[in-house]
Amino acid sequence: MDLSLLTAISPIDGRYRSKTEPLAEYFSEYALIRYRVRVEIEYFITLCELPLPQLQGINHDLFDQLRDIYRNFTPADAQRVKDIESVTNHDVKAVEYFIKEKLDAMGGFESYKEFIHFGLTSQDINNTSVPLSIKEALENVYYPMVEELIEQLHDYAEQWKNIPMLAKTHGQPASPTRLGKEVMVYVYRLEEQLRGLKETPITAKFGGATGNYNAHHVAYPQYDWREFGNSFVSEKLGLEREQYTTQISNYDWLGAIFDAMRRINTIVIDLDRDFWMYISMDYFKQKIKKGEVGSSAMPHKVNPIDYENSEGNLGIANAVLQFLAAKLPVSRLQRDLTDSTVLRNVGVPMGHAVIAFQSTLKGLRKLILNEEKLQEDLDNTWAVVAEAIQTILRREAYPNPYETLKALTRTNEKLTGEKIKNFIETLEVSEEVKEELRAISPSTYTGI
């Protein structure tokens, strides 16, 4: 079968392609090749800017033309690289040969083109290309989507800031809260973790065959190649160079990136489950779209499927992120090849996360607040004001206030507002304190 949305093995590239398509610019085979070409070109330009003695004669006005090789990179160019790879059986070497072909076509580079990939090993290209693709995918796709989710939650927190709601701890009625504040908890958590993710360095390996610039140093010992590498990785790629490595990246900071993403995903799973529960408690209705079916058997059903879809996709994302973070920093001696195939999957968890965030947003935007149900639950649960009463009695040095309220409330009989008011009248406290206690209700006892 030809590859299509219907025949793709992964749902990321099949069923959910419309949601994940922006990530193809960063994690497809085409994208990886384009990033490799970009790093090779920028490295060659940086050698010219040094300049190496043999590159002093090159016309710097041609740099824009050189950059156009990757700026205007097409799927046909990627296919040409793959055709070369079918002969070389080496993907990075195929990129080198492709660029040399381009230089031959441009003319005037015959004496310079052997400085393409000069002194490098393939991991100098891979371990800069992949972090660069992750960095730009985070900036252009992942961060905006998390920020959109945060913005939607913040809007709801503001809309619902004065809506009292019965809290549930251990699944049981607890001191009342406000719906807006509970939503704001997720805003706060996501903002904190997103800030931490953005502050986490994205690092790259760039140091020759075993990380020591052996080839660079033996050819040109007069240059400070470590400083050259630091500047190149920082100024041209916007990454941080790892100072001591083997042939490959240490991947420690990449692991930290994946762990930070996993924490964000976990918070969204928590959010998905809470809103799923609020819908099941009838605190929210869901907007109904004409023609949609909730169940193949039960016509009345309007299921909270968006939150379930999100939770499932985030679970897959976190499983892969956990594996990547644990596996990548481990490599035998100066390098084994296990990281190579694993790195090709870094777009997979981001794909599942992007699907999930869109599903959560879709679910949130379907919500219709059912204030009557929230108020009904508060009115039916007067026992939750016991904390307030016993705390004021503590303030007044009333004897055994906790135990007194425990005896009143810890029964299987329904405790009504009327019973609470009758109880207040039996207390041996001032009329002023009684008036203070009478003003407390489940709807007003919501803190700050």
Side-chain angles (χ1 to χ4, degrees):
M1 288 185 290
D2 292 333
L3 180 63
S4 71
L5 298 184
L6 292 174
T7 61
I9 295 172
S10 168
I12 292 175
D13 287 318
R15 180 179 180 86
Y16 300 121
R17 177 68 178 186
S18 62
K19 294 184 176 182
T20 61
E21 191 166 3
L23 293 175
E25 285 292 318
Y26 308 97
F27 300 119
S28 62
E29 183 75 0
Y30 158 81
L32 177 58
I33 296 170
R34 189 187 70 234
Y35 274 107
R36 286 167 168 166
V37 172
R38 175 177 164 184
V39 173
E40 291 277 18
I41 293 292
E42 290 296 341
Y43 170 64
F44 176 73
I45 289 173
T46 308
L47 289 177
C48 295
E49 292 171 338
L50 189 58
L52 288 182
Q54 287 79 3
L55 297 176
Q56 286 181 342
I58 201 165
N59 184 356
H60 287 206
D61 292 338
L62 295 174
F63 289 171
D64 259 354
Q65 197 174 344
L66 287 171
R67 289 188 168 107
D68 281 342
I69 296 175
Y70 70 78
R71 287 193 294 221
N72 301 327
F73 195 75
T74 67
D77 290 328
Q79 185 57 56
R80 176 56 191 155
V81 174
K82 296 300 289 183
D83 292 343
I84 298 171
E85 184 187 344
S86 69
V87 177
T88 62
N89 198 31
H90 196 288
D91 48 7
V92 176
K93 200 67 177 176
V95 168
E96 176 188 343
Y97 289 164
F98 167 80
I99 295 172
K100 287 178 177 178
E101 283 185 355
K102 288 289 188 180
L103 295 185
D104 286 340
M106 289 168 61
F109 285 95
E110 289 78 8
S111 58
Y112 307 123
K113 67 180 184 180
E114 287 307 318
F115 285 90
I116 299 294
H117 202 69
F118 176 80
L120 301 182
T121 187
S122 57
Q123 285 309 107
D124 293 314
I125 303 304
N126 290 330
N127 287 163
T128 46
S129 296
V130 173
L132 186 55
S133 71
I134 292 171
K135 175 178 181 290
E136 294 185 345
L138 286 171
E139 292 172 347
N140 298 325
V141 181
Y142 185 88
Y143 294 161
M145 198 152 287
V146 176
E147 287 163 350
E148 185 180 358
L149 178 56
I150 290 171
E151 183 179 2
Q152 179 63 71
L153 292 168
H154 195 277
D155 286 347
Y156 279 154
E158 184 64 24
Q159 287 179 41
W160 301 332
K161 64 182 180 182
N162 295 320
I163 303 295
M165 181 178 78
L166 183 67
K168 294 287 183 73
T169 59
H170 309 278
Q172 304 301 308
S175 296
T177 182
R178 295 182 187 181
L179 179 57
K181 175 261 171 176
E182 296 308 312
V183 176
M184 197 63 195
V185 169
Y186 285 108
V187 173
Y188 171 72
R189 292 175 68 188
L190 287 170
E191 284 181 338
E192 287 292 294
Q193 294 307 317
L194 183 60
R195 177 182 55 79
L197 173 56
K198 288 181 176 181
E199 291 174 355
T200 304
I202 302 180
T203 64
K205 179 266 176 180
F206 194 81
T210 53
N212 308 330
Y213 288 110
N214 299 43
H216 293 79
H217 182 70
V218 76
Y220 296 101
Q222 67 270 35
Y223 292 102
D224 185 344
W225 290 107
R226 179 181 293 179
E227 181 54 36
F228 171 89
N230 291 342
S231 298
F232 167 66
V233 171
S234 173
E235 295 171 14
K236 294 297 176 67
L237 305 181
L239 306 170
E240 288 189 23
R241 180 178 166 269
E242 297 166 18
Q243 297 300 301
Y244 294 93
T245 69
T246 59
Q247 184 178 90
I248 64 173
S249 169
N250 301 317
Y251 295 120
D252 299 324
W253 283 110
L254 198 53
I257 290 288
F258 295 149
D259 283 339
M261 292 173 66
R262 191 154 53 93
R263 287 194 295 274
I264 288 173
N265 292 349
T266 299
I267 293 169
V268 179
I269 289 174
D270 199 22
L271 182 154
D272 288 333
R273 291 177 178 175
D274 273 3
F275 275 95
W276 189 98
M277 290 289 290
Y278 290 143
I279 291 169
S280 75
M281 293 156 62
D282 206 26
Y283 285 2
F284 293 101
K285 306 289 188 182
Q286 297 182 90
K287 294 175 184 175
I288 298 172
K289 187 175 180 181
K290 187 176 181 180
E292 283 190 352
V293 174
S295 166
S296 63
M298 295 173 280
H300 69 283
K301 297 274 277 184
V302 183
N303 296 327
I305 57 173
D306 301 304
Y307 304 101
E308 295 166 349
N309 177 284
S310 175
E311 182 180 341
N313 274 286
L314 290 171
I316 295 173
N318 279 1
V320 178
L321 288 168
Q322 185 173 24
F323 168 73
L324 290 171
K327 186 272 154 290
L328 284 172
V330 179
S331 184
R332 297 171 184 85
L333 302 179
Q334 281 66 55
R335 192 265 164 97
D336 65 44
L337 202 64
T338 53
D339 66 308
S340 178
T341 189
V342 167
L343 279 177
R344 290 182 176 274
N345 292 279
V346 294
V348 172
M350 203 174 296
H352 283 288
V354 163
I355 294 166
F357 296 155
Q358 291 179 71
S359 291
T360 297
L361 277 165
K362 184 179 178 183
L364 290 173
R365 288 165 180 166
K366 285 182 181 178
L367 294 175
I368 301 172
L369 180 62
N370 185 5
E371 280 192 68
E372 290 182 5
K373 178 60 177 175
L374 274 77
Q375 189 60 52
E376 178 187 326
D377 277 5
L378 287 166
D379 292 342
N380 288 333
T381 321
W382 273 81
V384 295
V385 303
E387 179 191 42
I389 295 172
Q390 63 98 6
T391 303
I392 290 176
L393 293 179
R394 282 175 185 257
R395 184 194 71 194
E396 297 298 315
Y398 193 89
N400 303 316
Y402 177 87
E403 289 73 18
T404 301
L405 270 295
K406 179 181 175 184
L408 174 69
T409 61
R410 202 175 171 90
T411 69
N412 289 322
E413 293 181 12
K414 183 176 180 180
L415 189 62
T416 64
E418 190 64 29
K419 288 181 180 178
I420 289 286
K421 286 180 171 57
N422 291 338
F423 168 77
I424 291 171
E425 299 310 317
T426 68
L427 296 172
E428 295 181 6
V429 293
S430 69
E431 182 59 29
E432 184 181 4
V433 172
K434 286 183 179 180
E435 196 61 34
E436 189 178 358
L437 295 175
R438 292 185 194 110
I440 298 170
S441 75
S443 296
T444 60
Y445 182 51
T446 56
I448 57 173

